[in-house]
Each structure stands twice: as C-alpha cells, then as structure tokens.
Amino acid sequence: NGNVPGCSTKPYENDDVCYDPDQPTLATLDFSPGLNGKLPMHRCQGDCDSDSDCAEGLRCYFRSAAEVVPGCRNSGNAAAINDYDYCVDRLDTLKSVDSHLKPHPQVLGECQGDCD
C-alpha cells in the first residue's frame, strides 16, 4: 500500500480508497532556500518560520518529524529535511484515510473506503 493522493495516512492493507484524480499537480519539495533562505519562499519551499516567510497566498506549514506536507510531492521521506517547515497553499489540507466505516455508506467521500 502506498500513499493515496490528497490523503494524509495510508489505508489498511488490501483496502481501496476513493481519491480525487483531478487534484492539482503537486510541486516537489525544495529545501534549497534553507534556514536563512531568500524570502519570500514559494509553494513547497522551506525552511519557513512564519507565514510572512512565504509568498502571498501561502502559509507556513509547521510539522514535526517527517510529516507529509500538503500539496507537495516527495514529502514524508528522506527528501524532506525532517525539522524543516514548508510554505503551502492556504487551501491545501489532507484528510486521514477512513477505510473501515461502520455502517458502510452508499456513497464514499474522498479518502474513504473500502471501495470496490
């Protein structure tokens, strides 16, 4: 099982989860600006310390360890420096996977399953 686009957690083994195939293209994490990087930082750039470090319309996403960065590709792995925070779109959010809903609804929403 891998990550589900737009979802913050992985599904249970052998579970299928609904997702939005029309999500915008994810930007790749860029930690090249570094601790004292050139401001303002753009989407998926870090290390930010406050929203004012980010370009207009973006916010600083504070994380602990290797949390997935909403709207950014290659997050949650070695490519993302663990203690860096990254600029993200103010609207980017991630939903937790919920694949064991009881009772199972007729229509599943984004990051819900088990769908067949």
Side-chain angles (χ1 to χ4, degrees), residues 10-84:
K10 294 180 181 181
Y12 291 103
E13 188 173 339
N14 298 322
D15 279 0
D16 300 314
V17 176
C18 298
Y19 70 96
D20 180 0
D22 296 324
Q23 280 195 17
T25 304
L26 300 179
T28 302
L29 280 181
D30 176 9
F31 50 86
S32 65
L35 291 173
N36 298 307
K38 182 179 176 187
L39 301 178
M41 291 184 209
H42 298 283
R43 189 170 180 222
C44 299
Q45 286 188 322
D47 177 44
C48 57
D49 295 313
S50 69
D51 291 351
S52 63
D53 290 347
C54 302
E56 186 175 334
L58 302 178
R59 65 181 170 91
C60 186
Y61 181 75
F62 300 101
R63 58 193 203 118
S64 57
E67 281 180 282
V68 171
V69 180
C72 301
R73 183 180 8 193
N74 292 338
S75 61
N77 66 25
I81 294 179
N82 288 345
D83 59 350
Y84 271 25

Side-chain angles (χ1 to χ4, degrees), residues 12 14-18 97-109 111-116:
Y12 291 103
N14 298 322
D15 279 0
D16 300 314
V17 176
C18 298
V97 168
D98 190 357
S99 60
H100 286 216
L101 298 171
K102 301 290 184 212
H104 196 284
Q106 287 276 18
V107 178
L108 297 169
C111 298
Q112 292 182 333
D114 182 29
C115 56
D116 297 313

